């Protein structure tokens, strides 16, 4: 189990660079449609579970083997961050403070990683159980829902609209939902279903649960949740005029997301600030020009080349750094 945990650590450390790059892009390039940022977050998940190592001179990941599994069974333990100065500093400190040459028994670190792997498993089980309990709690409450039309259901236990179910997803709305705003609310939820967001979110939650110890992934999940909602707003309002957009924004504000209908990990990310940001973007959103679309696609391709691939050697020998130099 400790070997699996070390490999998980290596994957999580490598993906941190990808997460930080997307965070920086979100701050400096704001005119890109949110669906492209949502796509980049999906690539982060692929990076964590990619089955093969594809090496490239374009890779900006310093190292994919921060920890060496073989060191667990040896007398010395070193890190390989891919940044020489940092490696020399940390490894020199470890060597001078924790090793006494051959007197150190082989496999000293394996006991440490056994304990860490047990803590890792406990965290996975705890978050998994909490999410499953929450899911079935919602499922039990909506069993009394009444069908309004097609796959739209009303329930007294629902305080805000949401999509529930995977194979045959249904839209649940409260009984007191304003009839004039219903078409806008349904357009948003139908846009989620059309984009398979209910499947994407479930996969994202599973990835987060298995990698819960990485704080950068919690940040990534928060930002991904925001981007996927705003991408849905863009799809739903793409063909609306300004008056319809105002009505859509009003419906969004009146039928705000309720924590009661969110699973555990999603509850942690809910914020009223994102609702204000969404409304602002809805009212100011225009269909992106061809130039913006082409630029967005090129950016996604470059990010995939730089962060879905592994370095051939040192990061400073990569093609990107040579071009910059």
């Amino acid at each position: 189990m400790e070997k699996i945990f070390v490999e998980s650590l290596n994957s999580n450390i490598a993906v941190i660079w990808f997460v930080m790059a997307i965070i920086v892009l979100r701050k400096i390039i704001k005119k890109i449609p949110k669906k492209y940022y949502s796509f980049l977050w999906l690539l982060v998940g692929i990076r964590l579970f990619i089955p093969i190592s594809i090496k490239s001179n374009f890779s900006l990941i310093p190292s994919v083997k921060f920890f060496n599994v073989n060191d667990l069974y040896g007398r010395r333990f070193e890190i390989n961050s891919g940044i020489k100065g940092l490696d020399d500093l940390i490894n020199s400190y470890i060597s001078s403070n924790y090793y006494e040459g051959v007197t150190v028994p082989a496999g000293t670190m394996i006991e440490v990683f056994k304990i860490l792997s047990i803590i890792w498993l406990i965290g996975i089980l705890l978050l998994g159980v909490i999410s499953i309990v929450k899911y079935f709690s919602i499922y039990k409450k909506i069993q009394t829902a009444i069908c309004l039309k097609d796959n739209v259901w009303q329930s007294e236990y629902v305080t805000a609209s949401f999509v529930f179910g995977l194979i045959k997803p249904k839209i649940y709305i409260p009984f007191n939902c304003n009839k004039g705003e219903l078409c806008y609310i349904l357009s948003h939820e139908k846009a989620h279903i059309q984009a398979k967001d209910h499947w994407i979110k479930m996969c994202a939650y599973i990835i987060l649960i298995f990698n819960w110890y990485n704080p950068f992934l919690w940040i990534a999940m928060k930002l991904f949740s925001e981007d996927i909602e705003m991408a849905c707003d863009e799809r739903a309002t793409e063909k609306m005029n300004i008056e319809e957009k105002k009505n859509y924004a009003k419906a969004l504000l009146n039928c705000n997301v309720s924590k009661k209908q969110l699973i555990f990990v999603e509850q942690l990310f809910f914020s009223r600030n994102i609702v204000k940001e969404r409304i602002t973007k809805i009212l100011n959103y225009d269909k992106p020009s061809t130039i913006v679309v082409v630029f967005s696609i090129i950016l996604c391709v470059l990010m995939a080349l730089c962060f879905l691939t592994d370095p051939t050697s040192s990061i400073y020998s990569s093609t990107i750094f040579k071009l910059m130099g």
Side-chain angles (χ1 to χ4, degrees):
M1 180 55 68
E2 55 274 6
K3 288 184 180 180
I4 297 175
F5 179 61
V6 170
E7 292 301 329
S8 175
L9 276 174
N10 285 333
S11 296
N12 274 272
I13 293 171
V15 87
I16 286 173
W17 298 97
F18 200 174
V19 172
M20 290 193 297
I22 299 175
I23 291 173
V24 171
L25 283 178
R26 288 177 87 258
K27 286 292 184 182
I28 63 177
I29 309 178
K30 298 184 178 181
K31 290 189 176 182
I32 291 179
K34 288 297 182 178
K35 67 179 180 180
Y36 294 104
Y37 280 124
S38 298
F39 176 73
L40 288 178
W41 290 123
L42 293 181
L43 294 184
V44 170
I46 293 174
R47 170 77 237 190
L48 280 169
F49 287 89
I50 195 166
I52 57 175
S53 175
I54 305 172
K55 295 187 179 296
S56 165
N57 286 329
F58 287 92
S59 178
L60 291 183
I61 296 176
S63 172
V64 293
K65 292 291 182 183
F66 194 92
F67 297 111
N68 191 328
V69 175
N70 295 328
D71 286 352
L72 298 180
Y73 305 95
R75 288 189 170 87
R76 302 187 67 81
F77 188 81
E78 296 181 339
I79 68 157
N80 175 31
S81 68
I83 303 173
K84 189 176 185 302
L86 179 63
D87 290 345
D88 291 344
L89 180 65
I90 295 177
N91 290 332
S92 175
Y93 177 81
I94 293 174
S95 179
S96 60
N97 287 274
Y98 295 97
Y99 296 127
E100 301 174 8
V102 295
T103 60
V104 177
T108 300
M109 292 302 297
I110 196 167
E111 295 301 323
V112 174
F113 277 89
K114 277 184 179 179
I115 295 172
L116 292 176
S117 63
I118 291 172
I119 295 173
W120 175 46
L121 284 176
I122 291 172
I124 293 173
L125 290 173
L126 183 62
L127 285 174
V129 168
I130 292 174
S131 295
I132 290 171
V133 169
K134 178 66 178 178
Y135 181 90
F136 281 101
S137 175
I138 296 173
Y139 176 79
K140 183 179 179 180
K141 288 182 178 179
I142 59 177
Q143 291 307 296
T144 57
I146 298 173
C147 183
L148 179 64
K149 61 177 181 177
D150 301 326
N151 67 330
V152 181
W153 296 68
Q154 288 183 303
S155 172
E156 60 183 317
Y157 295 106
V158 173
T159 56
S161 63
F162 66 100
V163 174
F164 194 88
L166 295 175
I167 307 301
K168 294 182 179 180
K170 296 178 181 178
I171 299 171
Y172 290 88
I173 61 173
F175 273 113
N176 61 348
C177 185
N178 188 307
K179 301 301 180 183
E181 298 174 349
L182 182 59
C183 63
Y184 299 108
I185 294 170
L186 294 182
S187 67
H188 177 84
E189 302 303 342
K190 287 178 180 179
H192 271 311
I193 294 174
Q194 186 178 14
K196 308 297 182 186
D197 287 342
H198 51 298
W199 277 101
I200 293 171
K201 279 190 174 184
M202 182 195 69
C203 293
Y205 295 146
I206 292 173
I207 291 172
L208 181 64
I209 288 171
F210 275 90
N211 300 277
W212 61 267
Y213 58 84
N214 187 344
F216 284 87
L217 285 187
W218 288 88
I219 296 171
M221 178 60 84
K222 180 182 186 300
L223 298 178
F224 170 67
S225 297
E226 294 177 0
D227 288 342
I228 207 171
E229 286 300 326
M230 287 188 278
C232 183
D233 291 333
E234 290 172 354
R235 290 191 300 270
T237 61
E238 188 175 17
K239 297 180 180 179
M240 292 183 182
N241 58 39
I242 186 62
E243 192 61 33
E244 289 173 325
K245 287 181 179 180
K246 288 180 180 179
N247 292 333
Y248 178 96
K250 183 181 177 182
L252 176 65
L253 186 62
N254 292 340
C255 196
N256 204 344
V257 179
S258 170
K259 284 189 176 184
K260 293 179 181 179
Q261 269 77 57
L262 304 180
I263 68 171
F264 174 70
V265 291
E266 197 172 19
Q267 289 181 12
L268 302 178
F269 306 135
F270 175 77
S271 171
R272 290 188 178 274
N273 292 332
I274 182 60
V275 177
K276 294 178 182 178
E277 184 180 352
R278 284 171 62 188
I279 290 174
T280 301
K281 287 188 175 296
I282 289 166
L283 297 178
N284 296 316
Y285 179 76
D286 291 317
K287 188 176 181 179
S289 64
T290 303
I291 294 175
V292 171
V293 171
V294 171
F295 174 79
S296 301
I297 293 172
I298 292 173
L299 182 65
C300 288
V301 171
L302 287 175
M303 289 289 282
L305 280 174
C306 293
F307 295 101
L308 281 188
T309 59
D310 296 343
T312 53
S313 55
S314 169
I315 182 176
Y316 301 107
S317 66
S318 72
T319 301
I320 294 292
F321 272 84
K322 287 178 180 179
L323 292 173
M324 291 172 62

